Amino acid sequence: MAGLLPRLPGGVLTAGRVEVFGIRHHGPGSARALRGALEEFEPDAVLIEGPPEADGIVELAGDPGMVPPVALLAYSPAGPSGAPAGKGDRKAAFWPFAEFSPEWQAIRYGLAAGAAVRFCDLPAAHQLVPPDADEPDEPDEAAEPAETAEDVRLDPLGTLAKAAGYDDAERWWDDVVEHRHEGPSPFPAIAEAMAELRERVGPSRVDRREEQREAHMRRTVRRALKEGFERVAVVCGAWHVPALLAKVPAAHDDRTLRGLPKTKIAMTWVPWTHGRLAGRSGYGAGVRAPGWYHHLFAVPDRPVERWLAGAARLLREEDLHVSSAHVIEAVRLAETLAALRGRPLAGLDEVTEATRAVLCEGAELPVELIRERMVVGERLGSVPDRTPMVPLQRDLQAEQRRLRLKPSALDKEQDLDLRKPTDLERSRLLHRLRLLDVDWGVPAESRSKGTFRETWTLAWRPEFDVELIEASAWGTTVRDATTARAEAMAAGATALPDLTSVAERCLLADLGDALPTVMRALADRAALDTDVAHLMAALPALVRALRYGDVRGTATGPLRTVVDGLVVRICVGLPPAVSGLDDDAARDFLGHIDSVHGALALLADDAHLERWRAALKILIARPETLHGLLEGRVTRLLLDAGRLDDVPARMARAVSVGAAPARAAAWVEGFLSGGGLVLVHDEELLRLVDGWIAGLPDDAFTDVLPLLRRTFGAYAAAERRAIGERVRRAGTGSGPPRPSAGDVDEKRAAPAVATALRVLGWEAP
């Protein structure tokens, strides 16, 4: 390609009046070359590939508060029937810009130079409507094979790279464009190369949407010339350059664009992130290393040396020893690798290899750190306050400023102490946003055992702006929108557990206005639902809500009434509900029993606990109707509560010779499912289990082995090790000797006894 540079004059639609610059989206070399070409051409109108609906807000790009990466967002404010758009019928599209995007540099140049800045792509109102399926692409039989032509159309740079002897299109583009700092403009050569490729593709695979886009670009150029602009610069993807230079009659373009379906859309600017610019995010025009490209654009002078110095600084911040000598040697290695590979400048591959070998001394983990922090270089842009927003977005921004919760593209852990007013309000805001499906914060397991602490992982994603726009149909403030959404969720809930979840989330979000509606629906549903499994599934969320209400100062009187009624109905209905269950149903009820037991322990109501334990004792009083899994588990729960004194006898009966091996295994699994410490500390129970396992016939042992493996495999390693040691000692009759009274040396023990007595607050004799 470099050999083509001197040969082709600028691509001109009307000589001396229009210049078409073919760029690569998000290419720092293209951006730098384009800025220089525009300064030389001095256009009075700049037309840029992008949605024309953004013409009215393009001037915001010149505001000091507009900091890339940012994106234009086009969205449909209503669904097909005029109702608020939901995720199923969402219509939205983004046009991202980074500091190193050529289109961004064209916008900033045009605004600074006083030129008219417009977008020339097919309007978003048409692009958000899928192409008509009745107009399929029809290949030309005389053309090249469709697969080859399609490959060229979809990846023109890959085709050029392959022709130049490269196996990596990005590396080829870096060498011929991105790493060039001097010499003639690359745009004439780009135009010629693309013209050659499009000639090769021919009309074999006509993409209808692409044809429409290019027709609209040509129409926009004609309109600009008709308005009297003398020097028009067009900035578009390199593939489109030949189509814009082609002499296509205006009537042809009018026919192409006539009758296109469209939808109502709105346009705004939103913050974007480098992570969303990366190709790995799924973005079609993404680049693999946005942080590296930003560096190449921002630091054209000695980029390799400055990059490696920055990597060394990052490693030192992580307490890794990296000296200036390391940096010097890494620069030499990167430059040597580039020379050996015939590259004009060390690229990301060479710099990364030098970093791994010298700065990281072969370790991969520090390389991953550099890749995350520098190569991707995650950052979140910002837009000025006067950017068009729905009221809900503005209210959230005000809340973020008031509560000092600044959005960040990087995951950030936030610990909240609910006893502090600011942290409590932060928690309420995050819970409200989750009700609106804006998961800016994701709750994590708190390091504290108390209910007054929460741990969140915060990370802002660009698509949250679309979620907020959709949620604005519920209200103009976060609180109002969440209240309306909670009431709608309660009205639409079809199962009792769904309603209890809504009630819990309302308390977490402090939605006092929604609670009466939710509680009425919950009380009505609970009164009508006779399925004990549904009642048991609903109780834990309500109990958690009661505890959260206590901590957060939220009124929970109506909720307590519902909980009291559910506990009574569960205790009365449990015995008949668990009679004669098969294996699958018994395992489901095992989870329900554990959940209710834990919920009542959390509630700490003595009357409810007594009622629950009485119901459990009724269950094991009739073991012949109870599945072995449930009998074993209920026995364990009552043992832990100190309500059974004949557990060894019960286990002996359960694992006796007369018991079926499958039922005995289920009993043991249920009994031991709460943890293995009972076997560590109760030698009699351990001996019973060991004797039962040892006495199983070979075929029965094979049948119950999976159940035993599942049970014991769930224990912590320390528990398994302790149980194994106890079994080994019991089998050999060995074990640590127990000291007798005659072995104690009272004189030597006296100082230790005196110290223990002082610690306990007692006086030594």
Side-chain angles (χ1 to χ4, degrees):
M1 178 173 171
L4 299 175
L5 290 177
R7 295 183 0 211
L8 186 71
V12 177
L13 240 172
T14 303
R17 300 183 66 187
V18 177
E19 192 79 31
V20 182
F21 300 98
I23 51 90
R24 181 197 183 189
H25 303 295
H26 316 305
S30 290
R32 190 179 298 110
L34 177 63
R35 189 70 185 238
L38 291 175
E39 291 173 353
E40 181 179 351
F41 183 52
E42 296 182 346
D44 54 0
V46 180
L47 308 182
I48 300 165
E49 182 180 329
E53 292 93 338
D55 289 350
I57 59 173
V58 69
E59 56 86 19
L60 288 171
D63 192 293
M66 184 76 76
V67 180
V70 292
L72 285 168
L73 165 62
Y75 62 93
S76 178
S81 62
K87 287 187 178 181
D89 54 15
R90 172 183 297 169
K91 295 179 181 179
F94 296 95
W95 284 262
F97 303 95
E99 184 73 27
F100 52 83
S101 300
E103 300 95 328
W104 180 257
Q105 290 302 316
I107 293 172
R108 295 299 292 264
Y109 167 82
L111 294 176
V117 179
R118 299 176 182 175
F119 294 98
C120 60
D121 206 346
L122 188 68
H126 301 309
Q127 295 203 45
L128 292 184
V129 179
D132 190 349
D134 295 333
E135 298 181 358
D137 299 340
E138 297 183 359
D140 186 343
E141 296 180 358
E144 294 185 53
E147 182 178 358
T148 303
E150 187 72 1
D151 290 343
V152 174
R153 187 180 67 81
L154 293 178
D155 185 19
L157 297 185
T159 304
L160 292 175
K162 184 176 180 181
Y166 284 73
D167 58 359
D168 186 334
E170 193 149 342
R171 179 182 298 180
W172 171 79
W173 184 266
D174 285 347
D175 285 352
V176 300
V177 176
E178 307 301 349
H179 293 168
R180 295 175 67 253
H181 297 292
E182 298 178 356
S185 169
F187 298 110
I190 292 173
E192 183 176 350
M194 292 302 156
E196 185 69 25
L197 287 179
R198 290 189 69 128
E199 181 68 25
R200 177 179 176 183
V201 171
S204 60
R205 299 284 290 181
V206 178
D207 184 278
R208 186 64 176 168
R209 179 64 85 198
E210 185 175 287
E211 183 181 1
Q212 293 164 354
R213 293 177 60 201
E214 291 170 346
H216 195 275
M217 292 182 194
R218 290 190 293 264
R219 173 187 281 182
T220 306
V221 173
R222 295 189 191 98
R223 186 180 297 122
L225 294 173
K226 187 175 181 179
E227 290 178 13
F229 290 105
E230 296 292 333
R231 305 175 68 81
V232 178
V234 183
V235 179
C236 62
W239 178 255
H240 301 299
V241 172
L244 299 189
L245 295 175
K247 295 182 178 180
V248 179
H252 177 274
D253 290 341
D254 292 341
R255 286 193 300 272
T256 301
L257 298 172
R258 186 176 299 130
L260 291 182
K262 63 180 180 179
T263 185
K264 182 180 179 181
I265 66 110
M267 182 73 64
T268 188
W269 289 97
V270 295
W272 202 251
T273 67
H274 271 182
R276 284 292 190 270
L277 281 173
R280 67 182 186 182
S281 71
Y283 171 46
V287 294
R288 63 172 178 166
W292 168 253
Y293 274 10
H294 178 85
H295 174 78
L296 287 180
F297 182 78
V299 187
D301 179 44
R302 307 184 75 85
V304 174
E305 291 87 340
R306 296 176 186 270
W307 176 270
L308 290 170
R313 182 166 52 252
L314 173 61
L315 295 176
R316 291 191 198 105
E317 291 173 356
E318 298 295 325
D319 295 328
L320 298 175
H321 174 67
V322 181
S323 66
S324 300
H326 283 92
V327 177
I328 294 171
E329 188 59 33
V331 171
R332 290 174 177 170
L333 178 57
E335 291 176 343
T336 301
L337 289 172
L340 289 173
R341 295 168 181 173
R343 307 195 67 180
L345 180 71
L348 181 60
D349 291 340
E350 289 73 28
V351 170
T352 300
E353 291 176 33
T355 300
R356 179 183 292 107
V358 181
L359 301 187
C360 303
E361 298 180 347
E364 194 62 34
L365 195 58
V367 177
E368 286 299 320
L369 176 66
I370 292 171
R371 182 175 291 115
E372 186 67 28
R373 299 277 186 86
M374 296 182 64
V375 176
V376 174
E378 188 64 291
R379 66 179 66 200
L380 177 67
S382 63
V383 299
D385 291 339
R386 59 193 184 95
T387 302
M389 296 181 189
V390 296
L392 183 61
Q393 289 174 294
R394 293 201 181 278
D395 182 66
L396 176 58
Q397 285 191 352
E399 289 293 288
Q400 290 169 335
R401 286 193 292 266
R402 183 176 68 86
L403 299 176
R404 299 188 299 280
L405 278 177
K406 184 178 181 181
S408 170
L410 295 172
D411 288 353
K412 178 184 178 183
E413 192 171 276
Q414 184 89 35
D415 288 318
L416 301 179
D417 185 341
L418 303 184
R419 297 169 297 184
K420 299 178 179 179
T422 299
D423 280 0
L424 180 57
E425 290 196 57
R426 289 171 174 171
S427 172
R428 289 168 175 168
L429 175 64
L430 295 173
H431 280 294
R432 289 170 184 173
L433 290 175
R434 283 177 63 80
L435 264 169
L436 296 175
D437 294 329
V438 181
D439 293 333
W440 175 27
V442 177
E445 184 177 353
S446 176
R447 290 188 289 265
S448 171
K449 294 183 180 180
T451 57
F452 57 84
R453 285 193 177 274
E454 287 181 344
T455 301
W456 294 80
T457 301
L458 305 181
W460 187 264
R461 304 287 181 254
E463 57 267 24
F464 292 160
D465 284 291
V466 180
E467 307 281 4
L468 287 169
I469 290 168
E470 292 177 351
S472 65
W474 298 108
T476 58
T477 67
V478 174
R479 184 184 182 93
D480 290 347
T482 310
T483 298
R485 177 74 191 281
E487 292 175 343
M489 291 172 68
T494 57
L496 184 59
D498 295 337
L499 273 171
T500 59
S501 175
V502 175
E504 180 183 16
R505 297 174 74 181
C506 284
L507 286 170
L508 291 171
D510 188 30
L511 299 178
D513 294 340
L515 269 179
T517 301
V518 176
M519 293 311 304
R520 281 196 300 270
L522 178 59
D524 293 344
R525 178 71 66 179
L528 296 175
D529 201 325
T530 59
D531 191 321
V532 174
H534 288 173
L535 302 180
M536 297 177 77
L539 184 66
L542 296 180
V543 171
R544 287 195 303 269
L546 278 175
R547 291 301 302 269
Y548 291 140
D550 292 341
V551 174
R552 297 166 179 270
T554 308
T556 57
L559 187 59
R560 182 58 187 250
T561 302
V562 175
V563 168
D564 291 342
L566 284 182
V567 173
V568 172
R569 294 175 62 195
I570 288 171
C571 292
V572 172
L574 182 60
V578 298
S579 298
L581 299 179
D582 60 18
D583 292 344
D584 293 337
R587 194 164 297 280
D588 290 339
F589 259 96
L590 178 67
H592 291 319
I593 289 174
D594 282 342
S595 297
V596 171
H597 189 79
L600 293 179
L602 180 65
L603 187 60
D605 184 293
D606 292 338
H608 286 328
L609 282 172
E610 285 301 319
R611 187 176 288 107
W612 172 247
R613 289 164 183 163
L616 295 182
K617 294 194 77 170
I618 293 174
L619 292 183
I620 61 172
R622 301 176 58 191
E624 66 278 1
T625 64
L626 195 61
H627 193 280
L629 184 68
L630 298 183
E631 184 188 357
R633 184 59 184 146
V634 171
T635 302
R636 173 66 181 279
L637 293 178
L638 291 173
L639 170 65
D640 291 344
R643 298 307 176 94
L644 286 182
D645 53 9
D646 62 343
V647 172
R650 290 177 179 274
M651 178 178 282
R653 289 194 297 270
V655 300
S656 64
V657 176
R663 177 178 173 81
W667 196 100
V668 171
E669 181 186 0
F671 183 81
L672 299 179
S673 62
L677 286 179
V678 66
L679 296 182
V680 175
H681 297 293
D682 195 318
E683 187 172 346
E684 185 176 1
L685 294 180
L686 177 62
R687 187 167 56 250
L688 285 169
V689 174
D690 183 42
W692 168 67
I693 295 175
L696 286 172
D698 291 346
D699 55 345
F701 177 78
T702 303
D703 292 337
V704 303
L705 182 59
L707 297 177
L708 295 173
R709 183 184 296 276
R710 179 171 58 203
T711 301
F712 285 91
Y715 295 166
E719 289 183 347
R720 295 198 302 269
R721 190 162 49 248
I723 293 171
E725 287 295 322
R726 293 294 299 272
V727 172
R728 183 182 63 81
R729 288 199 298 268
T732 61
S734 62
R738 297 184 177 182
S740 63
D743 296 332
V744 177
D745 186 334
E746 294 184 3
K747 183 177 180 181
R748 295 178 62 191
V753 171
T755 301
L757 291 174
R758 284 197 301 272
V759 170
L760 296 173
W762 299 341
E763 294 183 2

